[in-house]
Amino acid sequence: MASPASTVPTAHPPRPFAIPQRGSSVAGKAYWAMAQRVALTAAAIDCGYILLFLWLGSVPLALVNLASIGMYLGAYALIKRRSNTAGISLIWLEVIFHSALGSLLVGWDSGFHYYLLLFIPAVVIANSGRYAVPIVLALLTYYLGLRLACDHWGALAPLAGKGQQVVNAIHVCIVFGMFAALAAFYRRTILIAENRLLKQATLDALTGLNNRAHFHTLAGHTLNRTQRTGEPVALLLCDIDHFKQVNDRHGHAMGDRVLVTVAGVLARNLRESDVIARWGGEEFLALMPASPQASAMEVAERIRMAMEQIQMDCQGQPVPLSMSFGVAQVAHGDDLQAAIARADQALYQSKNNGRNRVTAG
């Protein structure tokens, strides 16, 4: 017998036995994939239990495990058909009744009741305090009631010899492994969620470049380092020419394609050590450590020429691309905002002088 699949929090209002919807989130998808694995793994374990209990001479427990296999395979089929609530409920019913039957037939010390403890993290994680507390209390009542029943009646079909100790040892090993698997699942889910939140907080959703706020953070670290080493630092500010016309003529979807394309060109032509961000709607800014102004101008010119070579079209109509650049040197002890203002002024001059050019600030 194996454990129920534990549940994960969702964005919906808490409700009893809240279950993440399939496809609603990374956690939800992972949950249902795990639930299916749990059902198949539990069925396989119960196959081994049938052989074990036949060897130990307990035909009733062998039959119980045969029924359990049917329930787990039924749960797997239900979840695969997206009957999620029915599938997970069948798994929980199997564990509840299997724990009771095993404990009553073989005795409390056989350890069948260990599987009930796996419900605790499932209940607490899936529900708010409003529902978790009464459900856990109900589980505790059931658990203690089962213990009293076992103490009162004793083992109804005890195993011969050291059979009970053998079964207990197997249950301990399996439950330890299940708790470790559940902990690994939740740790992975948390790390995925943290990574997603970090990306949302630091990256531009469309282009994948740093957003404005994160640029300031990274630029601050870079400038602190370069102030100590004395290496030159340049700023490159660029703007897509006539971007409003692209949106007006071809729609915002095409404008988004242009932004993504430009971001790719910038990323390919700048170094990993350069800090690049989407600065505004169609503006991009790069901080280039270990770059004198002349070198930054050469890089800007290379990017400008690369943009001219890109051929894009929308429904057969060509969409020409070009960019204007402003490049400024960050002086020793210079304020970042002052350097950005100089680069912006240089960009303004590029625009006034006909666009599609590089100007030093």
Side-chain angles (χ1 to χ4, degrees):
M1 179 187 65
S3 76
S6 56
T7 54
V8 297
T10 72
H12 302 290
R15 60 188 186 277
F17 298 101
I19 300 174
Q21 296 301 308
R22 183 193 297 269
S24 61
S25 65
V26 172
K29 292 178 182 178
Y31 170 84
W32 291 114
M34 182 179 182
Q36 289 179 289
R37 288 196 298 270
V38 165
L40 290 179
T41 302
I45 291 174
D46 281 333
C47 289
Y49 270 131
I50 290 175
L51 298 176
L52 172 67
F53 287 120
L54 288 176
W55 177 65
L56 292 174
S58 178
V59 175
L61 277 177
L63 294 175
V64 169
N65 281 277
L66 183 62
S68 295
I69 291 172
M71 294 178 73
Y72 279 124
L73 293 179
Y76 174 83
L78 286 169
I79 295 172
K80 191 173 183 179
R81 292 202 303 266
R82 297 178 181 265
S83 299
N84 300 331
T85 302
I88 207 70
S89 297
L90 191 58
I91 292 176
W92 284 43
L93 285 173
E94 194 286 328
V95 176
I96 289 173
F97 287 112
H98 200 156
S99 298
L101 287 173
S103 298
L104 290 171
L105 288 173
V106 183
W108 182 259
D109 290 339
S110 62
F112 278 95
H113 54 87
Y114 296 150
Y115 295 102
L116 293 173
L117 302 179
L118 292 167
F119 280 120
I120 297 174
V123 169
V124 173
I125 291 172
N127 300 275
S128 68
R130 177 182 175 185
Y131 299 111
V133 172
I135 294 173
V136 171
L137 289 176
L139 180 62
L140 175 61
T141 301
Y142 179 83
Y143 188 89
L144 294 177
L146 181 60
R147 173 62 190 269
L148 290 175
C150 289
D151 289 344
H152 177 73
W153 286 311
L156 301 179
L159 297 174
K162 295 185 179 296
Q164 189 181 73
Q165 291 91 325
V166 171
V167 172
N168 180 277
I170 292 174
H171 287 162
V172 168
C173 293
I174 292 176
V175 171
F176 263 70
M178 288 178 177
F179 269 117
L182 290 176
F185 167 74
Y186 284 119
R187 181 178 184 276
R188 180 176 178 273
T189 302
I190 290 170
L191 289 176
I192 291 173
E194 285 182 345
N195 187 54
R196 174 174 287 184
L197 290 174
L198 180 62
K199 288 182 178 179
Q200 291 175 350
T202 60
L203 301 183
D204 175 63
L206 178 64
T207 63
L209 300 178
N210 296 305
N211 59 27
R212 191 168 184 146
H214 195 49
F215 175 87
H216 279 290
T217 300
L218 296 177
H221 296 325
T222 300
L223 289 176
N224 287 337
R225 175 176 56 80
T226 57
Q227 294 291 348
R228 294 192 301 270
T229 61
E231 64 187 52
V233 182
L235 274 173
L236 184 155
L237 182 63
C238 55
D239 181 281
I240 302 172
D241 295 330
H242 304 296
F243 183 72
K244 184 177 184 301
Q245 293 181 15
V246 174
N247 282 328
D248 292 343
R249 293 176 181 175
H250 307 289
H252 290 280
M254 187 63 203
D256 288 347
R257 282 181 56 195
V258 169
L259 290 169
V260 172
T261 300
V262 170
V265 173
L266 292 171
R268 288 191 296 272
N269 285 275
L270 292 167
R271 304 164 301 177
E272 290 187 5
S273 59
D274 297 331
V275 182
I276 179 173
R278 184 181 176 190
W279 192 242
E282 67 269 23
E283 281 190 338
F284 299 85
L285 179 64
L287 182 76
M288 306 170 65
S291 293
Q293 190 174 44
S295 297
M297 293 281 289
E298 292 176 2
V299 172
E301 181 63 24
R302 184 170 68 243
I303 296 172
R304 187 195 67 78
M305 294 175 63
M307 291 301 305
E308 287 185 322
Q309 301 303 314
I310 294 176
Q311 297 181 355
M312 298 188 70
D313 68 89
C314 181
Q315 297 179 346
Q317 298 182 29
V319 181
L321 292 181
S322 66
M323 295 189 75
S324 300
F325 296 79
V327 178
Q329 193 78 52
V330 182
H332 183 73
D334 200 359
D335 177 72
L336 179 61
Q337 293 302 324
I340 293 174
R342 291 198 303 274
D344 187 57
Q345 183 60 36
L347 174 61
Y348 183 76
Q349 292 178 23
S350 290
K351 293 286 188 179
N352 280 345
N353 292 332
R355 294 183 169 84
N356 193 22
R357 64 191 63 232
V358 180
T359 304

